[in-house]
């Protein structure tokens, strides 16, 4: 049996962040497999035994009309059609759900409905902004029993645009809500977010800071809307300081309570079944008063920061898929 070849595609920055070199080293040392980049500019794509990727970035660029991305995506689509039996983590058709927040929110609701009543997580719901009319938007919010303040997000859930968000504090702020954005209720959750990273059958949960509205609401501010980039809240970056000062508080960054942790395996199983994905992450918040768990976001191939042994777990999954052909 010849040496197995594991193909991958992702942007250079993503490859560095997840340290693809570690995956390459483990595959070579443990399984005598070769990691092959599928980022070829000319000629045919190399034949591989299994492939993993972060092609959601490529899909996003193609939808923005970038010719190089359109051509490259077309090349991959033809390749997948020619090699239909190739194990791919994950299929582009399944990733599509996570690129559109409306489809994503519907998928979260479907997953929630699949849970039994005593093991349930919840969806916060959404309102799609169809027209830039504050009265119309407010009527839609009232129909769903949403109360201001609310969170406004881009319907596009990929790229830098996918992290652009706004806190709409009052009815005047609704005038700035853009068409084709998604509004969700703000759920008080003690400024703590739990990120669940999924890699096949394995998962890891990390605690991250989240937002509170107490500072904005209690400072007698005259602003109607507060715009921010969500990465500057849940990650420590050079430009986090002002946003975290405005939106965050000193919160308890303890691990997720055991009563919820014991439910995570079932939630992961349900989400993998519904989404038909192996490499994704989802965000959980716990409502302060009711203690109900809400899933508020799903991301394809996240950063996996804090996931112990991630590179080994992914390498094992890839190798098993290659030899099971």
């Amino acid at each position: 049996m010849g040496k197995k070849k594991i193909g991958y595609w992702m942007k250079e920055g993503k490859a560095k962040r997840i340290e693809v070199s570690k995956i390459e080293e483990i595959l070579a040392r443990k399984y005598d497999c070769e990691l092959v980049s599928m980022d070829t500019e000319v000629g045919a794509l190399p034949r591989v035994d299994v492939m993993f990727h972060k092609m959601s970035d490529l899909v996003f660029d193609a939808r923005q009309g970038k010719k190089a991305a359109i051509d490259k995506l077309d090349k991959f689509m033809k390749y997948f059609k020619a090699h239909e039996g190739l194990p791919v983590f994950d299929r582009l058709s399944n990733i599509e759900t996570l690129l559109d927040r409306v489809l994503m929110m519907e998928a979260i609701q479907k997953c929630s409905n699949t849970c039994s009543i005593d093991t349930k997580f919840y969806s916060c719901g959404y309102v799609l902004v169809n027209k830039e009319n504050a009265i119309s938007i407010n009527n839609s919010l009232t129909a769903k029993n949403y109360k201001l303040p609310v969170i406004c997000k881009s319907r596009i859930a990929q790229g830098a645009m996918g992290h652009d968000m706004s806190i709409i504090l009052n009815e005047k702020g609704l005038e700035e809500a853009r068409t084709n954005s998604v509004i969700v209720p703000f759920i008080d959750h003690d400024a703590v977010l739990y990120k669940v990273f999924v890699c096949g059958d394995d998962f890891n949960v990390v605690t991250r800071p989240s937002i509170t509205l107490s500072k904005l609401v209690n400072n007698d501010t005259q602003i109607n809307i507060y715009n921010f980039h969500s990465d500057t809240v849940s990650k420590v970056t050079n430009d986090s300081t002002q946003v975290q000062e405005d939106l965050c508080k000193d919160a308890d960054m303890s691990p997720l309570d055991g009563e919820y942790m014991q439910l995570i395996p079932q939630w992961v199983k349900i989400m993998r079944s519904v989404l038909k994905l192996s490499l994704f992450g989802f965000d959980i918040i716990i409502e302060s008063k009711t203690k109900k768990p809400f899933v508020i976001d799903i991301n394809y191939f996240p950063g996996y920061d804090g996931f112990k042994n991630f590179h080994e777990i992914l390498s094992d999954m890839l190798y098993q898929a290659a030899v099971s052909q």
Side-chain angles (χ1 to χ4, degrees):
M1 183 174 64
K3 180 182 290 190
K4 294 294 183 181
K5 294 185 177 182
I6 315 296
Y8 79 97
W9 187 93
M10 60 188 66
K11 289 186 174 181
E12 184 179 356
K14 177 69 175 182
K16 287 181 178 179
R17 286 193 296 275
I18 70 159
E19 299 178 292
V20 163
S21 58
K22 288 187 177 181
I23 301 170
E24 182 176 25
E25 186 276 327
I26 293 169
L27 287 170
R29 169 178 50 82
K30 193 172 180 179
Y31 297 118
D32 191 30
C33 288
E34 179 184 357
L35 187 66
V36 179
S37 172
M38 305 289 279
D39 195 17
T40 56
E41 296 297 332
V42 295
L45 293 168
R47 183 65 190 268
V48 295
D49 298 288
V50 64
M51 182 180 172
F52 70 104
H53 64 86
K54 179 68 185 288
M55 219 170 285
S56 51
D57 292 332
L58 188 62
V59 173
F60 174 77
D61 287 346
R63 289 179 175 175
Q64 300 305 301
K66 297 181 180 180
K67 187 177 186 307
I70 293 171
D71 293 343
K72 189 170 292 187
L73 184 61
D74 182 63
K75 191 173 185 179
F76 274 114
M77 295 298 287
K78 290 176 179 176
Y79 181 86
F80 293 145
K81 187 174 182 179
H83 304 89
E84 291 185 352
L86 176 70
V88 178
F89 297 100
D90 284 291
R91 294 287 173 187
L92 288 178
S93 56
N94 298 333
I95 295 170
E96 290 279 348
T97 300
L98 305 188
L99 305 184
D100 182 323
R101 273 208 170 82
V102 169
L103 298 180
M104 180 200 301
M105 298 303 290
E106 296 292 345
I108 292 173
Q109 185 62 62
K110 184 176 181 180
C111 291
S112 173
N113 293 342
T114 306
C115 296
S116 60
I117 190 64
D118 55 340
T119 62
K120 193 177 187 64
F121 65 78
Y122 295 84
S123 166
C124 62
Y126 70 94
V127 166
L128 178 62
V129 179
N130 291 314
K131 58 177 69 174
E132 295 179 11
N133 181 296
I135 296 176
S136 174
I137 297 170
N138 199 29
N139 289 340
S140 297
L141 298 181
T142 301
K144 289 255 187 166
N145 202 28
Y146 293 174
K147 293 180 173 58
L148 295 166
V150 291
I151 309 293
C152 188
K153 308 179 181 182
S154 165
R155 180 171 180 170
I156 298 172
Q158 182 63 31
M161 190 182 301
H163 293 283
D164 288 336
M165 300 186 184
S166 303
I167 299 171
I168 298 177
L169 296 162
N170 50 45
E171 291 185 21
K172 187 72 174 175
L174 292 174
E175 296 175 3
E176 299 185 47
R178 297 180 178 178
T179 300
N180 221 26
S181 58
V182 172
I183 292 178
V184 299
F186 177 79
I187 298 169
D188 189 12
H189 54 286
D190 295 323
V192 179
L193 177 78
Y194 303 97
K195 285 188 169 290
V196 183
F197 297 127
V198 180
C199 182
D201 293 327
D202 292 270
F203 67 87
N204 191 69
V205 184
V206 298
T207 309
R208 296 279 173 81
S210 186
I211 64 175
T212 176
L213 300 188
S214 58
K215 292 184 179 180
L216 291 180
V217 173
N218 295 337
N219 286 348
D220 295 324
T221 178
Q222 298 300 309
I223 65 172
N224 303 311
I225 188 168
Y226 184 97
N227 301 310
F228 67 101
H229 196 273
S230 61
D231 265 0
T232 60
V233 173
S234 61
K235 293 182 181 179
V236 178
T237 60
N238 292 333
D239 59 349
S240 295
T241 306
Q242 187 58 52
V243 173
Q244 289 188 341
E245 184 177 321
D246 290 340
L247 298 182
C248 299
K249 67 178 181 179
D250 293 330
D252 182 2
M253 292 289 108
S254 300
L256 183 63
D257 284 349
E259 64 178 299
Y260 302 110
M261 279 298 298
Q262 66 183 3
L263 299 176
I264 298 291
Q266 181 176 342
W267 293 350
V268 168
K269 184 177 181 180
I270 287 171
M271 295 185 82
R272 286 195 66 198
S273 175
V274 172
L275 299 172
K276 295 180 172 55
L277 296 173
S278 295
L279 297 171
F280 65 98
F282 58 96
D283 295 347
I284 298 172
I285 59 173
I286 309 298
E287 188 173 20
S288 301
K289 291 182 179 180
T290 66
K291 301 305 178 184
K292 288 181 179 179
F294 284 80
V295 172
I296 59 170
D297 200 15
I298 313 175
N299 300 291
Y300 182 67
F301 210 138
Y304 290 98
D305 299 328
F307 193 145
K308 188 177 180 180
N309 299 326
F310 163 69
H311 301 92
E312 184 125 15
I313 290 168
L314 177 57
S315 298
D316 291 347
M317 184 179 77
L318 295 169
Y319 175 72
Q320 291 304 320
V323 298
S324 64
Q325 287 274 56

